[in-house]
Amino acid sequence: MSEIKENKSVETIPFYPDHIRTEIRVVWILVGLAFIIGTIAVFSPVGLEEPADPMLTPDHVKPEWYFLALYQLLKYIPKTAGVLIPIIGLIVVFLWPFLDRRADTKKQNRVRFIGSSIFVILLIAMTIWGMNS
């Protein structure tokens, strides 16, 4: 029994000139499309309203519940102070253990507890107030 080997020639396409040429064509088509869309956008800009002003929030917009107290704070004090006060507060809370190295006393603990309680009550009240306004 002899095996008959058929000499099938498999037709292949070389990678270098053919595939690279196809990729370059696709890139030129995409660049042309981007150019066409960019040109259309330059000559007919889309604008439904005036440009956005980050310091002026519309009345109907409300943030998520965890930002309601800060949002309420921004309604009643100037914008710059409303942004800086929470940031400075966070920096003070972060740095306080490094700055205060004295031993604790009962009076200090009582003052911290009362101050923290007032802050938490104020935070909850501002959140509820912001939710209902």
Side-chain angles (χ1 to χ4, degrees):
M1 292 209 205
S2 65
E3 293 182 20
I4 303 172
K5 291 187 176 182
E6 294 182 30
N7 194 1
K8 294 183 180 178
S9 64
V10 178
E11 193 168 319
T12 60
I13 300 171
F15 178 81
Y16 173 62
D18 294 333
H19 186 67
I20 298 298
R21 189 179 309 125
T22 304
E23 291 293 322
I24 289 174
R25 285 182 189 148
V26 170
V27 167
W28 277 111
I29 290 171
L30 290 176
V31 167
L33 258 149
F35 181 76
I36 290 170
I37 291 172
T39 305
I40 291 171
V42 165
F43 291 115
S44 63
V46 176
L48 300 176
E49 295 179 7
E50 65 276 352
D53 183 7
M55 297 305 277
L56 179 67
T57 306
D59 291 333
H60 65 279
V61 176
K62 278 196 177 180
E64 294 295 327
W65 66 269
Y66 41 85
F67 286 127
L68 279 172
L70 294 174
Y71 184 70
Q72 194 67 20
L73 183 69
L74 282 175
K75 286 183 181 178
Y76 297 104
I77 63 174
K79 305 292 186 214
T80 306
V83 171
L84 290 178
I85 288 173
I87 293 172
I88 291 170
L90 284 173
I91 291 171
V92 167
V93 166
F94 179 74
L95 293 178
W96 193 267
F98 300 107
L99 299 176
D100 186 16
R101 300 256 179 194
R102 293 177 292 163
D104 289 342
T105 62
K106 276 190 166 186
K107 185 177 179 182
Q108 282 180 335
N109 285 340
R110 190 177 307 121
V111 169
R112 285 183 193 144
F113 178 74
I114 292 171
S116 299
S117 299
I118 290 172
F119 174 74
V120 169
I121 290 169
L122 188 65
L123 187 69
I124 291 171
M126 293 280 283
T127 301
I128 293 170
W129 190 14
M131 184 173 50
N132 292 328
S133 68

